[in-house]
Amino acid sequence: MLPTQEATEDLARRIASAATPGDAILLSGVLGAGKSVFSRAFLRAACADPDMEVPSPSYTLVQVYDAPRGPIAHFDLWRLSGPDAVHELGWDDACEGIVLVEWPDRLGALAPADALRIDLEVLEDGARRARLTGWADRPVPAP
């Protein structure tokens, strides 16, 4: 359960502390579910810069960050027509580092099978719930 924005940010920081090169974190959920909030907190934590500006890659589709553990590619695939266009964005090279993907349904068969999938849901009371699947051999650190 994610009753506040701070809870979403805390989850993102915990996952950032566990992420390593080769990992894919796939964020699903309706508009307003908290994907961007999660992404900003994840990137700030992974880059060890709590004040870092993290623009949404909604128009550029991908933004790459240099983090201490290696590059992180933040993809926002909302405007992407389908998986064929992902290769043009440098998907294959990005997968050597950490990839953080909003709207991963646009990846189709390119979605890594071993990815951490996070489905963010908005509840009737406005709180969010995150359902995590994947990383069975590597649990997310506790708060």
Side-chain angles (χ1 to χ4, degrees):
M1 186 65 92
L2 303 171
T4 64
Q5 178 174 321
E6 291 77 21
T8 300
E9 292 168 341
D10 181 58
L11 175 63
R13 287 188 291 269
R14 290 187 285 131
I15 291 171
S17 74
T20 60
D23 284 343
I25 297 99
L26 309 181
L27 299 169
S28 298
V30 299
L31 285 171
K35 295 180 298 296
S36 294
V37 167
F38 180 97
S39 296
R40 285 185 180 101
F42 178 95
L43 290 163
R44 288 175 178 145
C47 293
D49 185 351
D51 299 318
M52 180 174 73
E53 184 175 337
V54 181
S56 173
S58 293
Y59 294 101
T60 59
L61 303 179
V62 63
Q63 182 73 35
V64 179
Y65 297 86
D66 291 319
R69 293 187 189 164
I72 302 172
H74 178 203
F75 290 85
D76 183 332
L77 303 180
W78 169 251
R79 297 177 46 233
L80 199 68
S81 58
D84 292 338
V86 175
H87 290 293
E88 296 173 24
L89 299 174
W91 176 255
D92 296 324
D93 289 336
C95 287
E96 293 178 19
I98 297 169
V99 292
L100 178 64
V101 182
E102 297 183 49
W103 304 101
D105 58 306
R106 309 300 201 275
L107 288 172
L110 293 175
D114 59 350
L116 175 62
R117 296 175 180 273
I118 303 171
D119 184 26
L120 296 167
E121 179 183 359
V122 181
L123 305 177
E124 288 182 20
D125 64 1
R128 272 78 171 150
R129 176 176 31 220
R131 294 178 193 219
L132 282 65
T133 56
W135 286 11
D137 60 335
R138 185 171 29 139
V140 175

